[in-house]
């Protein structure tokens, strides 16, 4: 068994004026904010009004002897590489080094229902009216309301204020399904790949689209870890960010890999993935030339990975995210191992990740719901799709 003892846990050091609208106490106890960092986390000062009531899990990448300065008044745990090695032992090899993928260690050690993960160069954005966007609050709203993966609502998220299901939307599908993931977006520097950044270095995203939509069942999407929230109890075991960075052939595909696994598993379990608001302000692009080197293999591999994920089918016995993930890891080895030996290693790392997950989150502590047996009054078409078990 692992023993968790982060090198630093701080409590509120000095009374600070409460944020304008403090979260309900229950909610504050249901969310961990996970931040991967290889620098300081001064950016938290800009988020204080929204983040201070919450617990932070800071995953320090790079040199563990470097002291990461955290602004006073935040309640946080900080884990560096020494902690990861101490807590996971030989299994620590599944947590990437020198890549933002290390953030998934924070998902592993959290005990909360919801995770919000954000990069340390992401700041509070303003909506078109000039109001600061409380990204965390919007993510929780997205996660707390159902998704509609089986039938697209053209007025987008029907559960948002001022919206609803449009005419022709089957009433048998209006209950929706639980939401596993809320994928937020970015103003200023969008999460582009290196080639796009290289050819469009001056591109800045100024377009604020006030919409949230469920990504339809069967559709994949390129998940970014920059501004992301999820229900840890529903899909946490599938949120592994893979083997990236140091001594790995690819980098900067961590969140995409996780997103493809999460989406096929969410489709199988009958839970939803939303994308859209909230926006954050992404302040800087990392070095596009270095990123091109890191991404190169991934750019070629993804042309083989997408057909693989589009063809994934999971057995009916897979009624939890863990079981789905283990079955998926076998398919990765069988079908992607021939693309590159890296995928055999990744398949093993997926199994190691689940072992870590189960050891740090023993079933008694997990209120992970078994697959949501689709008790929905399903429309015939959707029922037919489901009975084929096709993703
Ligand atoms: O070796 C590293 C490098 C970075 N980090 C931390 O990860 C995030 C993202 O880093 P950064 O903002 O420098 O890179 P971006 O290109 O803007 O990030 C996007 O690409 C993905 C990188 O793989 C990332 O998920 C996307 O958001 C920061 O918090 C860095 O401090 C790290 O931990 N280790
Ligand atoms: Mn960034």
């Amino acid at each position: 068994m692992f023993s968790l003892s982060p090198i630093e846990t701080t409590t509120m050091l000095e009374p600070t004026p409460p944020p304008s609208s403090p979260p309900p106490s229950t909610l504050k106890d249901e969310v961990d904010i996970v931040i991967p960092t290889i620098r300081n986390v001064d950016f938290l000062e800009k988020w204080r009004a929204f983040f201070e009531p919450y617990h932070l899990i800071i995953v320090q990448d790079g040199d563990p002897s470097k002291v990461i300065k955290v602004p006073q008044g935040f309640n946080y745990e900080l884990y560096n590489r020494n902690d990861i090695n101490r807590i996971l032992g030989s299994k620590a090899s599944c947590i990437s080094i020198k890549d933002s993928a290390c953030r998934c260690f924070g998902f592993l050690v959290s005990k909360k229902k919801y995770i919000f993960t954000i990069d340390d160069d992401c700041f509070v954005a303003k909506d078109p009216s000039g109001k600061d966007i409380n990204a965390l609050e919007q993510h929780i709203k997205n996660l707390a309301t159902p998704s509609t993966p089986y039938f697209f609502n053209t007025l987008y998220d029907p559960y948002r204020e001022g919206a609803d299901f449009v005419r022709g939307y089957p009433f048998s599908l209006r209950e929706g399904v639980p939401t596993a993931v809320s994928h937020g977006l970015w103003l200023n520097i969008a999460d582009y790949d290196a080639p796009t950044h290289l050819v469009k270095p001056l591109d800045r995203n100024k377009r604020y689209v006030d919409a949230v939509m469920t990504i339809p069942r069967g559709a994949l999407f390129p998940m970014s870890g920059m501004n992301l929230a999820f229900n840890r109890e529903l899909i946490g075991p599938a949120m592994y960010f893979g083997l990236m960075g140091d001594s790995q052939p690819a980098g900067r595909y961590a969140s995409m890999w996780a997103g493809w696994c999460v989406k096929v598993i969410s489709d199988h379990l009958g839970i939803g993935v939303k994308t859209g608001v909230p926006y954050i302000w992404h302040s800087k692009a990392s070095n596009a030339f270095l990123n091109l080197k890191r991404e190169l293999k991934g750019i070629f591999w993804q042309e083989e990975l997408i057909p693989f994920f589009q063809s994934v089918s999971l057995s009916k016995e897979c009624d939890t995210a863990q079981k789905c993930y283990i079955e998926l890891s076998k398919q990765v080895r069988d079908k992607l191992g021939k693309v590159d030996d890296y995928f055999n290693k990744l398949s093993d790392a997926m199994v190691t990740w689940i072992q870590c997950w189960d050891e740090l989150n023993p079933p008694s502590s997990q209120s992970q719901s078994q697959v949501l047996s689709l008790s929905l009054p399903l429309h015939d078409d959707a029922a037919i799709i489901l009975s084929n078990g096709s993703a």
Side-chain angles (χ1 to χ4, degrees):
M1 285 296 279
F2 300 125
S3 64
L4 277 186
S5 53
I7 54 168
E8 199 168 334
T9 305
T10 66
T11 52
M12 293 290 230
L13 295 176
E14 54 194 32
T16 47
S20 49
S21 52
S25 59
T26 50
L27 187 63
K28 138 168 106 60
D29 301 333
E30 292 200 77
V31 180
D32 270 338
I33 299 174
V34 175
I35 303 160
T37 191
I38 197 155
R39 32 206 180 206
N40 278 324
V41 286
D42 309 334
F43 85 115
L44 285 173
E45 205 50 70
K46 304 288 188 190
W47 287 100
R48 187 178 290 277
F50 300 140
F51 287 4
E52 193 166 45
Y54 293 89
H55 180 70
L56 313 178
I57 296 179
I58 300 169
V59 182
Q60 176 185 345
D61 196 5
D63 177 2
S65 65
K66 181 182 169 191
V67 176
I68 297 285
K69 288 201 281 311
V70 181
Q72 290 231 329
F74 286 97
N75 184 304
Y76 69 94
E77 294 164 61
L78 188 144
Y79 294 94
N80 64 24
R81 195 71 218 180
N82 294 336
D83 298 309
I84 295 171
N85 293 337
R86 176 171 42 77
I87 292 164
L88 300 185
S90 61
K91 297 191 177 77
S93 57
C94 76
I95 303 297
S96 298
I97 298 172
K98 296 304 286 295
D99 189 287
S100 65
C102 65
R103 75 175 85 219
C104 63
F105 181 77
F107 310 161
L108 203 55
V109 295
S110 169
K111 295 288 171 254
K112 301 290 177 61
K113 177 174 181 180
Y114 298 116
I115 294 283
F116 171 45
T117 186
I118 184 169
D119 289 2
D120 61 15
D121 63 345
C122 295
F123 295 87
V124 179
K126 293 186 181 301
D127 69 19
S129 73
K131 184 171 169 255
D132 283 352
I133 297 168
N134 184 342
L136 177 53
E137 186 183 63
Q138 182 61 49
H139 275 303
I140 297 299
K141 282 181 184 169
N142 293 348
L143 292 170
T145 52
S147 294
T148 56
Y150 297 107
F151 203 88
F152 187 75
N153 191 51
T154 49
L155 201 55
Y156 310 117
D157 187 345
Y159 303 102
R160 284 188 83 195
E161 222 166 287
D164 211 314
F165 291 99
V166 296
R167 183 166 54 91
Y169 200 98
F171 283 88
S172 59
L173 288 174
R174 294 194 183 193
E175 253 180 78
V177 300
T179 299
V181 176
S182 171
H183 180 261
L185 299 173
W186 338 271
L187 291 174
N188 194 38
I189 309 272
D191 195 354
Y192 286 162
D193 52 43
T196 308
H197 262 311
L198 284 170
V199 295
K200 301 174 80 176
L202 303 178
D203 230 29
R204 296 293 179 267
N205 182 29
K206 299 184 178 69
R207 187 177 37 250
Y208 179 94
V209 177
D210 183 14
V212 183
M213 60 189 85
T214 297
I215 301 174
R217 179 188 174 83
L220 295 169
F221 76 114
M223 187 170 84
S224 167
M226 218 188 281
N227 170 21
L228 178 73
F230 60 91
N231 182 321
R232 200 173 158 279
E233 293 170 359
L234 288 181
I235 203 68
M239 271 288 178
Y240 175 49
F241 274 41
L243 291 174
M244 300 285 154
D246 250 6
S247 73
Q248 300 299 340
R252 293 173 50 81
Y253 267 80
S255 53
M256 268 75 88
W257 175 264
W260 295 328
C261 295
V262 158
K263 188 59 171 59
V264 296
I265 290 172
S266 295
D267 285 352
H268 174 79
L269 294 176
I271 51 186
V273 176
K274 288 178 182 173
T275 187
V277 292
Y279 282 81
I280 51 85
W281 178 270
H282 184 210
S283 70
K284 75 167 208 38
S286 43
N287 182 308
F289 288 98
L290 286 180
N291 290 345
L292 185 58
K293 274 193 196 156
R294 291 187 195 131
E295 290 173 16
L296 197 57
K297 283 218 166 186
I299 291 174
F300 287 95
W301 283 345
Q302 71 187 6
E303 299 305 328
E304 312 215 29
L305 299 181
I306 298 309
F308 162 72
F309 280 103
Q310 285 170 333
S311 68
V312 163
S313 174
L314 299 167
S315 57
K316 287 193 171 34
E317 291 67 38
C318 295
D319 59 2
T320 65
Q322 281 97 326
K323 291 178 189 171
C324 292
Y325 207 73
I326 291 295
E327 184 162 300
L328 186 57
S329 73
K330 292 177 186 138
Q331 296 186 30
V332 166
R333 172 178 293 280
D334 296 347
K335 298 184 181 163
L336 296 178
K338 47 182 167 289
V339 172
D340 191 288
D341 186 48
Y342 167 76
F343 292 102
N344 293 317
K345 295 192 187 96
L346 183 54
S347 168
D348 292 340
M350 292 168 76
V351 175
T352 305
W353 162 261
I354 292 297
Q355 290 167 345
C356 294
W357 186 278
D358 288 342
E359 288 193 26
L360 287 177
N361 301 279
S364 51
S365 75
Q366 291 177 39
S367 52
Q368 165 136 11
S369 41
Q370 299 287 68
V371 68
L372 310 134
S373 54
L374 289 165
S375 57
L376 299 178
L378 282 179
H379 190 268
D380 294 347
D381 293 348
I384 290 165
I385 293 168
L386 292 176
S387 65
N388 292 342
S390 56

